Amino acid sequence: MTDLQPVRGTRDLIGEDQRRFRHVADTARRIAATHGFDEWTTPIFEDTRVFSRTMGETSDVVMKEMYSFQDRGGDSLTLRPEGTAGVCRALVSNGLTQSLPQKVFYAGPMFRYERPQKGRYRQFHQIGIELIGPGEPLADAEVIACGWAILQELGVAADTILELNTLGDKESRAAYRDALVAYFTERQAGLSQDSLARLERNPMRILDSKDEGDRSIVADAPTIGPHLTADAAAFYAKVQAHLTRFGVPFVENPRIVRGLDYYGHTAFEFVTSKLGAQGTVMAGGRYDGMIAEMGGPSTPAVGWAAGIERLAMLMETPPAPPVPVAVIPIGDAAEAAALPVLQALRAAGIRAEMAYRGNLRRRMERANRIGARAAVILGEDDLANGVAQVKDLASGAQEAVPLADIAARLA
Ligand code: ATP
Ligand code: MG
């Protein structure tokens, strides 16, 4: 079976990798809860239309990256490439569009057929939040502040910069679109094949191109600022003022786009220079048009998603492995007496382990190898007196403790 390897772009999480991963998700869930977000779990596969409708038939993800298949019943299903569409579908399917606001946290695997590299996988994992209902700029700022708080708690905030932009309202975007089409049409000879296609369908998306040639043209492209309506400019100013009140530092970057029609106003990314080309750790924005696209009433919403793998890589110190207590019986009678001791320790919430075989020396060696903080040594003489030796493996101090008191002593 040695020829069986994990599928390209997928990874096994074991040991420290798994601890980092778990720590990111747990921390995000906890901090999101303090901001009032409740966790939802939606299915990992959905009707393909959930994504083709919301992400746009012409988006890169839908055209090139989706894992779509026909199931045995002939339905077209897709492994979710992102979390927002499923949450919006669930909001509508569960009749929650009249119970607003909904503040949703999610965490789980996503699937995209991409070229695997450091920080880019075919199965990757995201945490994300969606604030559905409020259309006020305060909601945008609060969603960003929650993301910032998670980055701080993970100890990676200082390695990231929040880049902020506005995509304005419909009127602003229409005017901006015209300006972009004019600019890029004049320079189409230098554009990549992908960007030529975007020029017709979604010129804003060209700003997001990773192609070298495109990037030099994009550098001098018009920005949306001059095309913003007074309302859109006021909205953006409020988001910025609220962010300052929340104590979240940011820089403006007019190149941040989300590229789909139902995205408007706030668009942002937390980026780092420490992960090479895969520098975006968290990305989001306002998507007031998506829920209507899913068949619900027109409903404002704003959110973000972050790559767990990229955050886990950025974290400097890995979470410590759990520290066990080793139970060490000497002889068969002692082994029998050790089982209730193991049970009592575990019931007290202590990670307790007993080797399956071996004499005192080998078992002590194993206790050290697994990093045990204490050993509970059960010898036959001590057992006759109803006690065991509790040895602190850091200091070497040892003490006879009545069997019934061991769990409390080590808790
Ligand atoms: P990129 O520009 O890196 O392709 P994206 O715009 O496709 O990112 P989003 O759809 O906004 O990414 O996803 C949000 C976050 O999820 C990203 O900022 C990143 O941290 C993470 N992410 C996206 N795709 C992958 C992937 N293939 N592997 C690992 N993490 C990913
Ligand atoms: Mg991508």
Side-chain angles (χ1 to χ4, degrees):
M1 288 305 236
T2 49
D3 57 330
L4 287 182
Q5 296 296 321
V7 171
R8 188 165 142 77
T10 69
R11 309 192 306 153
D12 301 309
L13 293 174
I14 297 172
E16 185 190 315
D17 289 337
Q18 173 63 36
R19 286 199 301 278
R20 285 175 174 271
F21 184 94
R22 179 49 50 203
H23 181 70
V24 171
D26 287 350
T27 302
R29 184 179 289 109
R30 177 165 58 78
I31 300 298
T34 65
H35 289 70
F37 289 82
D38 288 321
E39 184 163 13
W40 289 13
T41 298
T42 62
I44 286 173
F45 55 81
E46 297 265 2
D47 187 315
T48 296
R49 289 170 298 179
V50 168
F51 307 110
S52 56
R53 267 194 212 165
T54 55
M55 303 186 80
E57 300 278 359
T58 59
S59 68
D60 281 359
V61 171
V62 170
M63 298 218 310
K64 296 191 264 183
E65 298 177 359
M66 288 206 312
Y67 278 92
S68 299
F69 60 99
Q70 253 191 15
D71 74 359
R72 289 167 193 277
D75 294 324
S76 174
L77 305 180
T78 293
L79 300 185
R80 63 183 186 194
E82 56 100 34
T84 307
V87 167
C88 291
R89 197 271 308 137
L91 180 91
V92 176
S93 331
N94 289 278
L96 293 171
T97 56
Q98 303 305 318
S99 318
L100 301 176
Q102 291 287 338
K103 300 175 77 173
V104 182
F105 169 83
Y106 64 83
M110 307 293 162
F111 304 84
R112 296 183 194 177
Y113 192 80
E114 302 202 68
R115 196 167 67 76
Q117 48 201 299
K118 184 182 167 218
R120 191 177 293 286
Y121 311 99
R122 292 183 173 175
Q123 174 175 335
F124 63 103
H125 300 76
Q126 286 182 337
I127 47 171
I129 64 172
E130 315 292 353
L131 173 42
I132 305 169
E136 287 80 6
L138 177 55
D140 306 51
E142 195 177 31
V143 156
I144 295 172
C146 176
W148 168 248
I150 291 168
L151 298 178
Q152 276 186 311
E153 192 71 9
L154 290 172
V156 304
D159 291 329
T160 67
I161 295 175
L162 168 58
E163 301 193 340
L164 187 69
N165 191 24
T166 180
L167 307 177
D169 48 20
K170 277 211 176 81
E171 206 183 320
S172 320
R173 275 195 304 286
Y176 184 40
R177 191 192 151 96
D178 292 345
L180 284 179
V181 171
Y183 175 85
F184 286 122
T185 304
E186 257 176 55
R187 291 160 185 80
Q188 37 179 312
L191 287 179
S192 69
Q193 214 53 37
D194 278 352
S195 285
L196 281 176
R198 293 182 188 118
L199 183 53
E200 312 224 309
R201 300 188 309 246
N202 197 337
M204 233 194 265
R205 202 76 228 196
I206 300 176
L207 301 177
D208 205 21
S209 172
K210 292 178 179 79
D211 179 274
E212 283 299 319
D214 289 348
R215 290 188 87 92
S216 62
I217 298 178
V218 162
D220 296 318
T223 59
I224 197 170
H227 305 283
L228 290 178
T229 62
D231 281 354
F235 190 103
Y236 189 36
K238 279 187 187 155
V239 173
Q240 297 188 36
H242 290 321
L243 280 175
T244 302
R245 292 176 190 122
F246 276 127
V248 182
F250 61 88
V251 298
E252 290 183 71
N253 178 354
R255 299 289 172 237
I256 303 279
V257 292
R258 295 272 104 204
L260 299 173
D261 286 349
Y262 50 81
Y263 276 101
H265 292 297
T266 312
F268 65 93
E269 291 184 2
F270 282 92
V271 298
T272 179
S273 56
K274 294 202 159 174
L275 295 179
Q278 272 58 252
T280 305
V281 293
M282 185 181 279
R286 178 164 279 286
Y287 53 94
D288 291 350
M290 190 189 298
I291 289 152
E293 205 68 38
M294 208 64 85
S298 166
T299 309
V302 54
W304 53 253
I308 296 182
E309 286 83 357
R310 293 185 194 179
L311 290 172
M313 280 193 283
L314 209 51
M315 256 168 41
E316 229 145 75
T317 9
V323 181
V325 165
V327 174
I328 301 181
I330 308 168
D332 288 346
E335 185 173 281
L339 301 190
V341 174
L342 266 180
Q343 286 289 67
L345 287 167
R346 290 169 177 170
I350 297 165
R351 180 182 175 109
E353 290 212 74
M354 187 170 85
Y356 300 96
R357 63 164 74 103
N359 57 22
L360 174 63
R361 187 178 57 83
R362 304 202 99 204
R363 289 181 190 246
M364 283 303 282
E365 279 168 9
R366 178 164 194 278
N368 285 317
R369 201 166 56 242
I370 65 175
R373 63 183 163 101
V376 177
I377 304 163
L378 296 111
E380 308 214 331
D381 290 351
D382 277 342
L383 278 174
N385 297 322
V387 298
Q389 300 295 322
V390 174
K391 181 169 185 174
D392 183 315
L393 292 178
S395 69
Q398 185 169 319
E399 186 186 1
V401 178
L403 291 182
D405 298 346
I406 290 174
R409 182 67 58 91
L410 288 170

